[in-house]
RNA sequence: GCUCCCAUGGUCUAGCGGCCUAGGACAUCGCCCUUUCAAGGCGGUAACACGGGUUCGAAUCCCGUUGGGAGCGCCA
């Protein structure tokens, strides 16, 4: 299980260019990268684009962008190159062909002319009598003349590998010894009728030529591994070590999907999550450090990572926990950093944020209150507008204060605040507290009226700091306006 | 249907035969703090899927059952 037996560790992530970076892909990429860093190896990004129809430059870029945003960096890949290219399957087409030809020449693979309809019928028959659906080898021993004849009829063919009639085994890095009797498996397709390689074939060729030493991938590939092993064996190649990771689940324990919420990295970014929070959360979803530490920087993850503590059971993606991590990371940011992260969300909401110093002071008021960056515009908007919307009910709340009571109190507030020499937190607080006492009001009740007058709402950042930031002029104007509104 | 994987509170997990009256975190509830809301502090509720073994002793090992998942594709 130790990585460094002579050769350098080489691990990879091989996403399909679907346009978006899926969280599952991201987590698998993370684990692979952590492993590479931990053992001083290389982490490679390969684009598995054999499904030619969907691949475009943009669809590839979308995936890379998601990974980059999370801070996942690769040593070799289609964008940065490297000594083991190409890094796109499409560009390796010639090699697949060559390998398939060699397998055919050695009698380890053969052409099959069966139609999809025939195969489907065969599968149904097998299932009907309770046998595993498999290809029973109709074209297995076709004579060259027969092939020529079918070819002449215009029949298309695929290439099948002769499944070895023996038990294949490997040691999974997470699950230990695994085996399968390949005698139960029919000969399987390695090259489609259009000449392109099937995934289980292409991936073997890629892993081999890219000199991968370890393959960490989702558990859905566990049983596929045996087909791949058959290819390695037919070619006389040494397979890498495999480790099959868990799946991420929806709350109802089905495989994570769109309908249960966000699944693409870009969506999390747009929802106001910090990449470091998402990474931390993802890392702990399926792996544990063996200690009670919860918060990890990327470097700390590299340090603590270990294959031994990767879990074997699937994990529900609990967004509430992600929210908690996000809050923790937001609170750890400097005002400057927080301001920078919040800025795009403020701009999107239509608030001008060119005054850096002001923005920094503003975000400082809500650092402890932000669960997600998207909440910032709502909390801070009152500092960036000329006037706020006032609703009568906001002042009274559920209490029994009448508009008259409130307007009267606000007039007093205006008077007291207007008489202040300095517009500071201390002076404002002292004067308002004193006023509450002389009025016989509870401090909280009085401050609530000012709060609503200033912000238009009952839930806001701390009042005194907000007044200071808003400035004397605007604050006084808002109180005056609120008074008038209540007196109408 | 066959093969394989998995199984500790609502969720993520620690536990790898006695240290477990099962630990931590999120969520939840209560209290404290408090100018609202948060944040923070303190405390509470809450789990070894079930049934057989093995053993002096099992959450931990074995078998079975149940439940969940994957694969059996000219998808990746």
């Amino acid at each position: 299980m130790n990585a460094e037996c002579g050769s350098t560790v080489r691990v990879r992530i091989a996403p399909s260019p679907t346009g978006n970076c899926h969280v599952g892909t991201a987590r698998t990429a993370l684990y692979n990268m952590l492993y590479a860093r931990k053992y001083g190896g290389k982490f490679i990004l390969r684009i598995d684009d054999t499904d030619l129809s969907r691949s475009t430059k943009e669809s590839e870029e979308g995936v890379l962008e998601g990974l980059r945003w999370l801070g996942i960096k690769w040593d070799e890949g289609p964008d940065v190159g490297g000594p083991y290219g190409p890094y796109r399957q499409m560009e390796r087409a010639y090699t697949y062909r060559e390998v398939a030809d060699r397998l055919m020449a050695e009698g380890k693979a053969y052409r099959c002319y069966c139609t999809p309809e025939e195969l489907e019928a065969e599968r149904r028959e097998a299932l009907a009598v309770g046998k595993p659906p498999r290809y029973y080898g109709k074209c297995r021993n076709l004579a060259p003349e027969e092939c020529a004849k079918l070819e002449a009829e215009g029949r298309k063919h695929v290439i099948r590998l002769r499944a070895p009639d023996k038990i294949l085994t490997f040691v999974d890095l997470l699950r230990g010894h695994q085996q399968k009797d390949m005698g139960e498996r029919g000969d399987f397709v390695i090259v489609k009728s259009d000449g392109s390689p099937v995934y289980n074939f292409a991936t073997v060729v890629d892993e081999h030529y890219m000199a991968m030493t370890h393959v960490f991938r989702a558990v859905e590939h566990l049983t596929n591994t045996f087909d791949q092993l058959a290819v390695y064996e037919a070619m006389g190649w040494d397979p890498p070590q495999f480790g099959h990771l868990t799946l991420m689940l929806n709350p109802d324990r089905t495989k994570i999907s769109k309908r249960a919420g966000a699944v693409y990295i870009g969506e999390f970014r747009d929802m106001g999550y910090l990449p470091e929070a998402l990474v931390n959360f993802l890392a702990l979803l399926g792996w544990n450090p063996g200690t009670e530490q919860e918060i990890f920087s990327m470097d700390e993850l590299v340090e603590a990572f270990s294959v031994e503590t990767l879990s074997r059971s699937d994990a529900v993606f609990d967004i509430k926990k992600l929210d908690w991590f996000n809050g923790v990371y937001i609170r750890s940011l400097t005002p400057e950093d927080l301001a920078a992260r919040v800025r795009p969300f403020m701009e999107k909401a239509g608030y001008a944020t060119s005054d850096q110093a002001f923005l920094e002071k503003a975000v400082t008021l809500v650092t402890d209150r932000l669960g997600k960056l998207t909440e910032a515009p709502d909390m801070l908007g009152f500092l960036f507008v000329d006037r706020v919307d006032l609703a009568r009910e906001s002042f009274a709340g559920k209490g029994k204060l009448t508009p008259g009571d409130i307007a009267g109190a606000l007039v007093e507030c205006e008077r007291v605040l207007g008489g202040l020499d300095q517009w500071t937190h201390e002076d404002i607080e002292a004067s308002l507290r004193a006023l509450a006492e002389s009025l016989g009001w509870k401090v909280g009740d009085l401050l609530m009226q000012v709060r609503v007058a200033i912000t238009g709402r009952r839930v806001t950042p701390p009042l005194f700091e907000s007044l200071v930031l808003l400035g004397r002029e605007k604050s006084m104007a808002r109180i005056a306006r609120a008074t008038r509104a209540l007196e109408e």
Side-chain angles (χ1 to χ4, degrees), chain A residues 132-135 163-166 180-186:
Chain A
R134 52 173 284 208
Y135 179 69
D165 187 15
K166 60 190 272 198
K180 184 173 186 183
D181 184 356
M182 289 301 277
E184 310 276 293
R185 180 82 172 98

Side-chain angles (χ1 to χ4, degrees), chain A residues 268-274 340-351 353 372-377:
Chain A
F268 289 98
R269 183 194 55 215
D270 295 344
M271 285 191 293
Y273 289 102
L274 264 34
R341 310 238 197 176
V342 157
R343 175 169 286 116
F345 293 94
M346 294 298 283
E347 292 286 346
K348 196 176 170 201
Y351 299 128
T353 56
K372 298 192 267 280
L373 299 175
T374 35
E375 293 160 2

Side-chain angles (χ1 to χ4, degrees), chain A residues 108 110 119 122-123 132-138 140 159-165 168 180-190 226-227 230:
Chain A
K108 290 167 179 166
Y110 59 89
L119 296 170
E122 186 180 87
R123 264 193 291 272
R134 52 173 284 208
Y135 179 69
Y136 67 94
K138 187 180 174 192
R140 209 163 203 231
I159 298 176
R160 285 180 188 274
L161 185 83
R162 289 181 200 277
D165 187 15
L168 255 25
K180 184 173 186 183
D181 184 356
M182 289 301 277
E184 310 276 293
R185 180 82 172 98
D187 299 340
F188 56 90
V189 177
I190 56 174
F226 297 101
D227 284 1

Side-chain angles (χ1 to χ4, degrees), chain A residues 186-350:
Chain A
D187 299 340
F188 56 90
V189 177
I190 56 174
V191 177
K192 305 176 198 174
S193 56
D194 67 0
S196 65
V198 164
Y199 171 79
N200 279 328
F201 175 61
T203 200
V204 169
V205 175
D206 293 333
E207 282 3 330
H208 175 74
Y209 284 105
M210 299 177 94
M212 307 313 311
T213 58
H214 301 71
V215 172
F216 293 100
R217 71 218 321 187
V219 69
E220 52 203 345
H221 292 292
L222 182 56
T223 22
N224 286 333
T225 306
F226 297 101
D227 284 1
Q228 297 176 17
L229 250 19
V231 177
Y232 280 107
E233 188 172 275
M235 288 303 291
W237 291 340
D238 288 330
Q241 292 198 263
F242 297 99
H244 291 91
L245 306 167
T246 58
L247 254 28
M248 281 191 281
L249 271 27
N250 292 319
D252 65 1
R253 303 203 77 87
T254 53
K255 189 172 163 182
I256 195 163
S257 64
K258 199 80 205 71
R259 77 187 152 75
V263 292
Y264 297 121
I265 299 307
E267 295 181 280
F268 289 98
R269 183 194 55 215
D270 295 344
M271 285 191 293
Y273 289 102
L274 264 34
E276 43 277 71
L278 189 50
V279 163
N280 198 149
F281 170 72
L282 253 20
L284 257 29
L285 201 64
W287 168 82
N288 79 80
T291 66
E292 290 184 350
Q293 184 177 348
E294 299 268 339
I295 304 300
F296 289 88
S297 65
M298 195 66 99
D299 287 344
E300 290 173 317
L301 284 175
V302 170
E303 178 61 27
F305 189 72
S306 130
V307 172
E308 285 73 22
T309 51
L310 242 13
S311 63
R312 285 166 294 278
S313 50
D314 299 341
V316 172
F317 187 100
D318 179 13
I319 197 115
K320 285 274 186 57
K321 185 126 187 188
L322 206 210
D323 288 347
W324 175 75
F325 274 112
N326 209 49
V328 169
Y329 277 92
I330 284 177
R331 274 170 253 134
S332 76
L333 262 26
T334 60
E336 184 184 7
D337 196 352
L338 216 209
R341 310 238 197 176
V342 157
R343 175 169 286 116
F345 293 94
M346 294 298 283
E347 292 286 346
K348 196 176 170 201

